[in-house]
DNA sequence: CTCTTGACTGAGG
DNA sequence: GCCTCAGCCAAGA
């Protein structure tokens, strides 16, 4: 019987994988969808292990659409590069039209 | 066990 | 819209 925390991490990965192409979401949105809106930080923490997974962590940003986690990627602009490759416009770690491409799992899923 | 840190968020000024 | 404070939970020292 796994702990709920472990299940939480697993769900984070699952939801992250479900993020449509050219869309982004926030840590809080995922956390809220999992029923742990107050554990948004845990979502980001879970992403630490996302490197070994097929999780598109570059599509997950904070509520402002800011690429706060870009420092966890290789290089200095890999995250922004990946997003722009999907048609997402990014300006200095800030996603443009964030409200338009924002994907809320609790609402869309 | 206690303290610090962190890919966060909401409320108040 | 920006800055600051507090709450939140888990992992590491």
């Amino acid at each position: 019987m796994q702990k709920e925390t472990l299940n939480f991490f697993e769900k984070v990965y699952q939801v992250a994988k479900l993020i449509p192409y050219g869309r982004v979401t926030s840590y809080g949105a995922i956390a809220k969808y999992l029923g742990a809106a107050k554990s948004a930080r845990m979502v980001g923490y879970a992403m630490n292990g996302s490197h070994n997974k097929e999780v598109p962590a570059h599509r997950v940003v904070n509520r402002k659409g800011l690429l706060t986690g870009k420092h966890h990627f290789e290089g200095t602009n890999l995250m922004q590069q990946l997003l722009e490759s999907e048609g997402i416009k990014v300006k200095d770690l800030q996603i443009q039209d964030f409200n338009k491409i924002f994907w809320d799992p609790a609402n869309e899923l």
Side-chain angles (χ1 to χ4, degrees), chain A residues 12-39:
Chain A
V12 172
Y13 301 139
Q14 291 298 315
V15 176
K17 288 180 187 177
L18 294 174
I19 301 175
Y21 180 91
R23 294 288 189 104
V24 292
T25 190
S26 66
Y27 304 98
I30 297 174
K32 188 175 184 179
Y33 173 72
L34 299 178
K38 297 173 182 178
S39 302

Side-chain angles (χ1 to χ4, degrees), chain A residues 80-93:
Chain A
Q80 178 173 332
Q81 207 169 243
L82 289 169
L83 289 169
E84 291 183 320
S85 296
E86 299 189 358
I88 300 175
K89 295 175 178 127
V90 180
K91 174 69 174 180
D92 189 33
L93 311 184

Side-chain angles (χ1 to χ4, degrees), chain A residues 11-67:
Chain A
K11 287 188 175 185
V12 172
Y13 301 139
Q14 291 298 315
V15 176
K17 288 180 187 177
L18 294 174
I19 301 175
Y21 180 91
R23 294 288 189 104
V24 292
T25 190
S26 66
Y27 304 98
I30 297 174
K32 188 175 184 179
Y33 173 72
L34 299 178
K38 297 173 182 178
S39 302
R41 299 177 109 154
M42 299 299 94
V43 176
Y45 203 92
M47 286 318 207
N48 273 309
S50 69
H51 265 280
N52 266 21
K53 316 276 180 184
E54 299 174 23
V55 179
H58 59 272
R59 292 183 187 154
V60 185
V61 294
N62 69 353
R63 70 175 179 96
K64 296 177 187 170
L66 201 61
L67 281 54

